[in-house]
Amino acid sequence: MKKFLNTLFITSPDVYLSLDGENIVVKRESDIVGRYPLHNLEAICTFGYTGASPALMGSCAKRDISMTFMTKNGRFLARVIGESRGNVVLRKEQYRISDDEKRSALVARNFILGKIYNSKWILERATRDYPLRVDVPKIKSITSALTEAMKAIRVVEDLDILRGLEGNAAAQYNSVFDDLILQQKEHFYFHNRNKRPPLDNVNALLSFSYTLLSNDMKSALESVGLDAYVGFLHRDRPGRASLALDVMEELRGVYADRFVLSLINKKIVNEKGFTQKENGAVIMSDDTRKKVLMAWQERKQDKILHPYLNEKIPWGLVPYTQALLLARYIRGDLDEYPPFFWK
């Protein structure tokens, strides 16, 4: 259980939520494991829930406290709200920003700033941890270029220019990504990013991890009342969760890329779990997919010090904290959206 920005997160899958007076009571079988005053809360988010009493749901609806139910894997199930005037206002402001390309650029540049900052420190950490196994001068030249890119992105006000800067920075980062693969080099290598379909083992892992991250991000945005399909950098396209793709940009490297590298370098996966089809597409076996999913869930339990909240939280809650911060910014509670800066 964790409380951030007036949202109570229930991460234990075997607890039941009930109402006692003006308090939410968290029970595991007959034991009370938590009690929280309702007047302190704006939202409740539960993962792998056993259930919640109708009395609690009614009381929360009356107080305009949203209750969001997720599976233990983070897939959105349902959201119980009362007269959600605040959420209507939130989404209308989101749509106004999305319709204005200049305002969209002012938000989107922080997503990309976070992405490039995190990419830089992934590379910097590799030079620190493995100075004898990576080409330090080559990687340092890339991190210097990423630093310059961040300076330009910080002041950009045009979406097309922003996309160009982001594309150039991503190409530079990708040019040395293969250097971070330290084990099983014969079967796991990265020459370029390819998808639909992925054409090698590494890209198959990256695509699957990005899909997992995208689903987590969609659930997070939905839980705070934002529309995951209306973005700022990624423009509207039927069936595409554009805002989820926007916000996950800053988490791609630090959350998904590092996860894939750990799978390979720790030999959690191997070449036997991948098959190449006649059209060149590489697919994972069912057993390998299960291993990846188990490792993903385990990684989400690891603790990280959130750079803005200055509080230790599980990695799995990072998408939800960023969604909360984005909602706070759109509502006008924050002057600027704070990206997730990892180091």
Side-chain angles (χ1 to χ4, degrees), residues 164-184:
L165 292 168
E166 185 274 334
N168 289 336
Q172 292 172 332
Y173 168 74
N174 286 339
S175 72
V176 291
F177 187 76
D178 187 66
D179 293 44
L180 308 184
I181 301 172
L182 305 176
Q183 300 289 339
Q184 309 185 81

Side-chain angles (χ1 to χ4, degrees), residues 70-326:
M70 310 280 193
T71 68
K72 63 181 180 180
N73 294 325
R75 181 172 61 85
F76 176 80
L77 292 174
R79 190 160 173 259
V80 179
I81 57 175
E83 295 183 9
S84 53
R85 291 177 296 173
N87 290 323
V88 171
V89 171
L90 175 66
R91 290 202 179 201
K92 287 184 73 174
E93 183 62 18
Q94 177 189 351
Y95 300 151
R96 290 190 191 101
I97 296 173
S98 180
D99 287 339
D100 185 326
E101 291 205 0
K102 182 175 180 180
R103 292 184 70 192
S104 292
L106 298 180
V107 184
R109 69 186 184 187
N110 279 17
F111 301 143
I112 301 307
L113 192 66
K115 176 182 182 177
I116 297 176
Y117 178 94
N118 292 334
S119 297
K120 172 187 172 179
W121 283 105
I122 290 170
L123 300 178
E124 289 282 2
R125 181 171 284 196
T127 63
R128 184 194 69 187
D129 293 345
Y130 308 104
L132 301 180
R133 303 185 66 181
V134 300
D135 189 336
V136 174
K138 180 174 74 171
I139 292 178
K140 286 289 187 180
S141 69
I142 297 297
T143 60
S144 296
L146 295 180
T147 299
E148 293 303 311
M150 284 190 285
K151 293 178 182 177
I153 287 169
R154 193 67 187 90
V155 296
V156 73
E157 296 184 0
D158 182 275
L159 281 175
D160 288 334
I161 295 174
L162 177 61
R163 292 188 187 101
L165 292 168
E166 185 274 334
N168 289 336
Q172 292 172 332
Y173 168 74
N174 286 339
S175 72
V176 291
F177 187 76
D178 187 66
D179 293 44
L180 308 184
I181 301 172
L182 305 176
Q183 300 289 339
Q184 309 185 81
K185 294 287 287 188
E186 182 179 351
H187 302 286
F188 291 91
Y189 46 82
F190 183 88
H191 296 154
N192 55 67
R193 179 74 180 115
N194 51 72
K195 49 189 175 180
R196 303 187 189 95
L199 302 177
D200 55 65
N201 297 347
V202 174
N203 274 289
L205 287 169
L206 287 172
S207 291
F208 188 58
S209 299
Y210 292 157
T211 298
L212 294 175
L213 180 56
S214 174
N215 287 335
D216 287 349
M217 201 70 249
K218 281 189 288 188
S219 294
L221 293 166
E222 194 71 31
S223 74
V224 301
L226 289 167
D227 189 334
Y229 290 83
V230 177
F232 306 126
L233 178 66
H234 295 82
R235 309 310 286 172
D236 295 348
R237 182 185 298 174
R240 181 171 75 176
S242 296
L243 187 60
L245 295 177
D246 282 357
V247 186
M248 69 178 273
E249 287 291 351
E250 63 196 86
L251 301 178
R252 280 183 187 269
V254 70
Y255 202 116
D257 292 1
R258 290 179 68 243
F259 171 72
V260 168
L261 290 170
S262 70
L263 291 176
I264 299 167
N265 291 335
K266 294 180 179 179
K267 300 184 179 180
I268 296 171
V269 298
N270 58 54
E271 77 280 3
K272 295 179 181 178
F274 299 83
T275 304
Q276 190 166 40
K277 301 173 71 175
E278 292 181 0
N279 66 350
V282 172
I283 59 174
M284 287 186 287
S285 67
D286 288 342
D287 285 344
T288 296
R289 191 176 294 108
K290 289 177 184 176
K291 287 181 182 178
V292 173
L293 286 170
M294 289 178 61
W296 182 263
Q297 290 304 115
E298 290 173 1
R299 174 61 63 88
K300 287 164 72 171
Q301 302 304 315
D302 292 345
K303 295 295 181 69
I304 180 75
L305 181 67
H306 193 282
Y308 183 80
L309 301 178
N310 196 31
E311 184 174 352
K312 283 194 172 183
I313 63 171
W315 264 113
L317 291 186
V318 171
Y320 296 91
T321 57
Q322 295 309 116
L324 283 165
L325 291 168
L326 179 60

